[in-house]
Amino acid sequence: QRIAAASKQWLDAMDIMAITGYNPDEAAELWKRMKANSGGQAPPEFNTHPSNDTRIANLTKLAPEAKAEAKKFGVTSFRE
C-alpha cells in the first residue's frame, strides 16, 4: 500500500525519477549525505519539513514502488 497522501508528491517525484532511468534508491542516499554534512540537523529552510531520519525512511520505503512503476514503462535498469 502506498504511503499516505502527504507523501504523494514524493512518490510522484520518485516515479518520474525512476521512469526517466534514475535510481530512486539515490534519493535516500542524497538525504543521508545532507544529514552527514549538516551535523545531523536539517538546514534551517527545512525546519517545517520531516526530520532527516523520517525523510530517509520514507524515501527508502518509496523506492521499490517507484521502481515497480518504472517497470510498467519498460525501465528495468537505472543510472548510478
Side-chain angles (χ1 to χ4, degrees):
Q1 175 174 329
R2 292 191 171 222
I3 291 180
S7 296
K8 176 90 172 82
Q9 289 177 319
W10 281 101
L11 182 58
D12 289 347
M14 291 186 70
D15 286 350
I16 292 167
M17 180 183 198
I19 290 166
T20 59
Y22 290 93
N23 188 344
D25 293 325
E26 290 302 313
E29 295 304 314
L30 168 69
W31 281 98
K32 289 176 185 176
R33 290 190 297 275
M34 287 183 67
K35 178 182 175 184
N37 289 327
S38 68
Q41 298 296 319
E45 58 270 19
F46 292 121
N47 282 343
T48 61
H49 290 66
S51 70
N52 286 326
D53 290 333
T54 298
R55 192 180 303 264
I56 290 164
N58 288 343
L59 292 169
T60 299
K61 185 184 282 188
L62 292 172
E65 293 182 47
K67 288 179 179 179
E69 187 68 19
K71 191 173 184 177
K72 294 177 188 176
F73 292 87
V75 179
T76 57
S77 63
F78 303 97
R79 298 176 185 99
E80 292 300 321

